[in-house]
Amino acid sequence: MTTTAIRANTQAVSRDINKRKTPRARKEARTGWLFMAPFTILFLLIFILPIAISIYSSFFQTKVSGGGAYGGGEAVKQFVGFANFEYVITSSDFWNGIGRVILYTAVQVPVMILAALGLALLIDSYLVRHVTVFRLGWFLPYAVPGVVAAIIWLCIYTPEISPINSLVEALGGELTINFFGQKIILVSMANMTTWTFTGYNMLIFLAALQAIPRDLYEAARIDGATSFQIVTKIKIPMVRGAALLAVLLSIVGTIQLYNEPAVMETANKWMGTAYTPMMMALNTAKGYMTPKGDGPASAIAIVMALIAGILAVIYFLVDRKVGSSNE
């Protein structure tokens, strides 16, 4: 039987099944769609619609039409094609910001993921008593709003009011680390993000660990496996899916880095208004970098989304290749 004939038979069987659907099945299908409707509507309004508006806006610029020698005129939106994307792609500020964010990601994400995995393994090992208290304590920093957390760390880093500095002076020493230095400020911001999101990623790993059947551990112990071997040969390999999710979320999140550098910039004006792409997008939309409206800012956001998607796909492909080679 040819492929065309097989496809025709499959379609005929599918049509027969659809025709034979009972009224009860149709009612259940309608009920399912009714339950899906609130989420679908909110998803379209909150997620899809803003993306569509941003894409539409990226092809326009705000320009002044009319007026005389002494100014005046009316601000109107004009279609400019890909001019906003050209502005982004040719902007050295944008690519410098992307470079900082990629460097930040390369340092911060591995440290945070390893710390989160270590905490999850510690809780799952039953070595820690009062697990709920520790789990809540490690997760609490995530509940602190990002701007508030950045302000807290800004105070800790500022020598004049830093409790760390006061403690060192009380011990008869002197704090010599400049947390605002150009060569260390990315590390200072990475510390903020790690403090905030390690507990969140810990819960992802912990959920994956608790889903592993306990029979595997018992069988491994009967075979003479040590606790270290159980961790390295069973637990860690079986949370690769959770690790993939955590890293992908972290890559997308770090590309959108804003709270930490925006707060740090208030005390370090040398950082400028385009230290990260998100800062550049917001300051562009406000007119601080170009008086052309929100079109260039929308183009920045779209290019950032594309770069985040490319990085996520690259990591996914590398992870899958490494996983297949180990099997």
Side-chain angles (χ1 to χ4, degrees):
M1 185 179 291
T2 63
T3 304
T4 304
I6 294 174
R7 187 181 298 112
N9 289 337
T10 303
Q11 292 175 350
V13 171
S14 178
R15 285 195 296 269
D16 290 340
I17 292 174
N18 290 333
K19 288 180 181 178
R20 285 181 291 172
K21 278 187 176 179
T22 62
R24 180 178 178 181
R26 296 192 188 96
K27 183 178 179 181
E28 290 178 351
R30 287 195 297 268
T31 303
W33 280 110
L34 286 174
F35 278 108
M36 284 273 299
F39 167 79
T40 304
I41 294 172
L42 289 175
F43 180 77
L44 292 173
L45 291 177
I46 297 174
F47 188 77
I48 301 299
L49 183 61
I51 293 177
I53 293 174
S54 181
I55 294 173
Y56 175 81
S57 176
S58 65
F59 294 103
F60 290 84
Q61 289 182 0
T62 301
K63 297 184 178 180
V64 177
S65 177
Y70 299 99
E74 181 182 0
V76 296
K77 283 194 172 184
Q78 293 184 3
F79 179 78
V80 294
F82 291 95
N84 291 327
F85 292 96
E86 181 182 358
Y87 160 74
V88 176
I89 294 173
T90 58
S91 171
S92 60
D93 288 336
F94 177 78
W95 291 112
N96 289 335
I98 287 292
R100 296 186 191 100
V101 167
I102 291 177
L103 177 61
Y104 175 92
T105 303
V107 174
Q108 188 268 332
V109 171
V111 172
M112 178 181 65
I113 295 300
L114 290 175
L117 177 59
L119 292 176
L121 289 170
L122 183 62
I123 290 179
D124 191 64
S125 67
Y126 301 107
L127 293 176
V128 177
R129 304 179 100 184
H130 309 295
V131 170
T132 303
V133 176
F134 282 95
R135 183 172 54 198
L136 179 61
W138 287 325
F139 180 75
L140 271 180
Y142 180 73
V144 179
V147 174
V148 175
I151 293 173
I152 292 172
W153 280 102
L154 179 65
C155 295
I156 293 175
Y157 290 151
T158 303
E160 292 79 11
I161 57 177
S162 173
I164 299 176
N165 192 39
S166 302
L167 178 62
V168 172
E169 289 180 352
L171 296 174
E174 183 179 355
L175 186 64
T176 58
I177 301 176
N178 180 16
F179 294 103
F180 300 139
Q182 295 188 21
K183 294 182 179 180
I184 200 174
I185 196 165
L186 279 177
V187 177
S188 300
M189 290 189 292
N191 180 58
M192 298 181 190
T193 307
T194 302
W195 177 80
T196 301
F197 288 97
T198 297
Y200 172 82
N201 289 288
M202 176 201 69
L203 291 184
I204 295 177
F205 284 117
L206 187 58
L209 287 170
Q210 293 179 345
I212 299 174
R214 300 292 164 177
D215 296 343
L216 292 177
Y217 305 153
E218 295 177 4
R221 290 190 181 95
I222 292 174
D223 290 339
T226 63
S227 298
F228 180 78
Q229 290 174 327
I230 291 174
V231 170
T232 56
K233 302 298 183 180
I234 298 178
K235 290 187 176 183
I236 293 179
M238 295 194 72
V239 298
R240 282 188 63 248
L244 175 63
L245 174 63
V247 173
L248 290 179
L249 291 176
S250 299
I251 290 174
V252 174
T254 51
I255 289 293
Q256 303 175 53
L257 181 66
Y258 175 77
N259 290 333
E260 291 83 355
V263 172
M264 296 286 270
E265 191 269 339
T266 60
N268 305 276
K269 295 300 180 183
W270 60 264
M271 294 174 62
T273 56
Y275 192 77
T276 65
M278 277 296 291
M279 290 179 64
M280 181 179 177
L282 182 63
N283 290 316
T284 299
K286 289 182 177 180
Y288 297 155
M289 302 188 67
T290 174
K292 297 179 181 178
D294 54 1
S298 298
I300 294 172
I302 293 170
V303 174
M304 286 171 55
L306 292 175
I307 293 174
I310 291 171
L311 292 175
V313 169
I314 291 173
Y315 174 78
F316 174 77
L317 294 176
V318 171
D319 180 81
R320 187 171 67 175
K321 186 176 180 179
V322 172
S324 61
S325 63
N326 291 334
E327 292 177 355

